[in-house]
Amino acid sequence: MAFKLRAACACSIGKIRTNNEDNFYFDGKIMPESNSGLKKPVIAEAELKNFVSFGVFDGMGGEDYGEIASFTAANTYKAETKLLEDYIIPEKQFLRQSCEKMNLAVFDAAQKLGTAYMGTTAVLALFGPRQVYICNLGDSRAYRLRGGEFMQLSKDDTDLAAMLERGVVDHKPRLTQNLGIDPEELLLEPHIAKGELRKGDYYLLCSDGLTDMLDNFEICDHLMKALDPEQAVNALMRTALEKGGRDNTTVIVCRVEE
């Protein structure tokens, strides 16, 4: 049985921010360094005879640095995906190598700009003929909806546990891993998970602009009600904006079909 993917991507600057620090890799496309998001979702379909990949990047650093970081990571990943065309290296090695190259590219860009604080999260999905690999650094997330079971596949790289232990509840958890760190000072440790594909699976990649606005129950409800990925990203984005749209928001939804 051969699988194929139908996917949709939406990206919004939100209602509060004046610049967009999010970027993505979708069907070979990324956004320019300076952008205001997408006016409407983009759609893609692919047969899983070869590898297909998607990614979401949420930049940080203030001024224009966040968008430079996310663009640099997305552009570097786009170049790396050419290795998938000839399947030169195993999947997990490809993802680790891609994270290392993206990290160094963002770090070098920060050095050239003379800033000590510039980085981006990354969450990636790599689909093969029978399997999917999820890779992340930071707090951008990946989820899977299979039947009625909704599961987070990524792992948040934050200091939330330490905050709760100290009784701190008045600020958002800080990142403990991201792209753009000095490779000589901190070991980059991307999380990689592997899963088998099943017909009807939904996979969601998103920046925290979505998860800060919607809880898991709301996200799952929208995915379960959607007839296709385009309807899903429209509903998720609309709800995030209706609830305040406090941050840039990027959403990619993929559905596995026969």
Side-chain angles (χ1 to χ4, degrees):
M1 179 176 61
F3 289 116
K4 67 177 182 179
L5 278 183
R6 181 172 175 82
C9 175
C11 181
S12 172
I13 197 170
K15 291 187 172 182
I16 306 297
R17 301 294 181 90
T18 57
N19 61 330
N20 184 26
E21 295 183 312
D22 280 8
N23 214 307
F24 57 74
Y25 175 77
F26 183 83
D27 191 31
K29 303 179 183 69
I30 66 173
M31 289 193 292
E33 185 176 293
S34 179
N35 70 85
S36 299
L38 294 171
K39 293 182 179 179
K40 61 180 182 179
V42 290
I43 312 297
E45 290 187 357
E47 291 187 18
L48 292 177
K49 294 179 180 178
N50 299 308
F51 289 95
V52 178
S53 192
F54 303 92
V56 169
F57 307 90
D58 183 356
M60 55 203 181
E63 297 183 5
D64 297 326
Y65 297 146
E67 47 261 55
I68 295 173
S70 60
F71 170 79
T72 300
N75 198 39
T76 303
Y77 189 65
K78 179 179 179 179
E80 284 300 295
T81 58
K82 295 188 182 301
L83 294 175
L84 296 172
E85 296 175 4
D86 298 318
Y87 189 51
I88 297 173
I89 57 177
E91 296 90 332
K92 289 185 178 181
Q93 184 181 341
F94 163 77
L95 290 168
R96 290 193 185 96
Q97 178 176 298
S98 295
C99 286
E100 290 171 0
K101 289 190 176 182
M102 288 188 289
N103 182 68
L104 188 58
V106 175
F107 177 73
D108 286 346
Q111 294 292 103
K112 291 176 182 177
L113 290 168
T115 177
Y117 182 68
M118 186 178 103
T120 180
T121 68
V123 60
L124 310 169
L126 175 60
F127 292 91
R130 309 294 306 173
Q131 296 153 335
V132 60
Y133 293 82
I134 301 296
C135 176
N136 83 283
L137 286 155
D139 59 358
S140 292
R141 292 179 177 176
Y143 294 92
R144 183 187 68 201
L145 174 64
R146 173 173 287 171
E149 182 185 15
F150 186 65
M151 177 184 297
Q152 181 176 338
L153 302 177
S154 57
K155 293 185 179 180
D156 291 349
D157 289 311
T158 70
D159 64 351
L160 177 61
M163 281 176 52
L164 295 176
E165 194 173 298
R166 299 194 308 270
V168 177
V169 294
D170 60 346
H171 66 77
K172 184 174 173 140
R174 296 183 178 89
L175 296 183
T176 55
Q177 285 270 311
N178 58 264
L179 296 174
I181 63 175
D182 186 340
E184 294 186 1
E185 292 188 4
L186 185 65
L187 179 64
L188 198 70
E189 298 181 290
H191 306 286
I192 301 177
K194 176 184 176 183
E196 299 294 322
L197 296 179
R198 291 188 190 175
K199 178 185 175 182
D201 285 351
Y202 272 92
Y203 289 88
L204 165 69
L205 306 180
C206 62
S207 59
D208 64 359
L210 181 72
T211 52
D212 284 350
M213 294 288 97
L214 281 71
D215 60 29
N216 284 0
F217 177 81
E218 293 172 296
I219 296 172
C220 177
D221 187 54
H222 281 306
L223 290 177
M224 292 187 71
K225 289 178 178 177
L227 298 177
D228 55 43
E230 184 177 6
Q231 191 177 93
V233 298
N234 280 327
L236 289 167
M237 189 65 75
R238 181 178 64 250
T239 306
L241 292 173
E242 287 173 351
K243 297 187 78 171
R246 293 197 300 267
D247 199 356
N248 313 142
T249 304
T250 302
V251 182
I252 295 175
V253 173
C254 305
R255 184 174 68 188
V256 180
E257 302 175 351
E258 287 182 1

